[in-house]
Amino acid sequence: MVTEVFTRKYCDPHAVREEKVEATEVIQFAWDGTVREVDACADCFKEHEARFEPLVDYSRPVKKRRATKKPAETASAEADESGE
């Protein structure tokens, strides 16, 4: 005889409030240097995306700009002043 086992995942944010809502999504976040996952329903997932997605930084580190060369006129004027 074969017995089928059905496991349901419940939304963790709702479980904190002692509600049983079936989870369909997974929210990933970093905590203490490790990536963690939380099961979430579609509503909680949308709320998480709306609240925290704008805070995610997609920018790249900015390279240092090279020092621009001074025009020849100001460089020669500074050389004359230092020579006097």
Side-chain angles (χ1 to χ4, degrees):
M1 177 189 271
V2 177
T3 306
E4 291 184 33
V5 177
F6 295 100
T7 57
R8 289 188 177 178
K9 292 183 181 180
Y10 291 107
C11 177
D12 292 333
H14 280 97
V16 171
R17 292 176 257 156
E18 297 179 6
E19 299 173 4
K20 288 191 175 186
V21 177
E22 193 169 346
T24 57
E25 305 287 336
V26 175
I27 297 174
Q28 290 186 342
F29 61 96
W31 186 266
D32 289 336
T34 59
V35 176
R36 311 255 177 143
E37 292 184 344
V38 172
D39 296 324
C41 64
D43 293 335
C44 291
F45 183 74
K46 287 178 187 175
E47 180 183 340
H48 173 67
E49 291 292 315
R51 182 180 290 175
F52 296 109
E53 190 65 26
L55 299 177
V56 176
D57 184 17
Y58 291 106
S59 64
R60 296 182 306 275
V62 177
K63 293 181 181 178
K64 268 189 167 178
R65 296 191 180 262
R66 292 183 181 172
T68 57
K69 292 184 178 180
K70 297 180 182 178
E73 296 172 3
T74 57
S76 62
E78 287 178 4
D80 292 338
E81 289 176 6
S82 62
E84 289 181 6

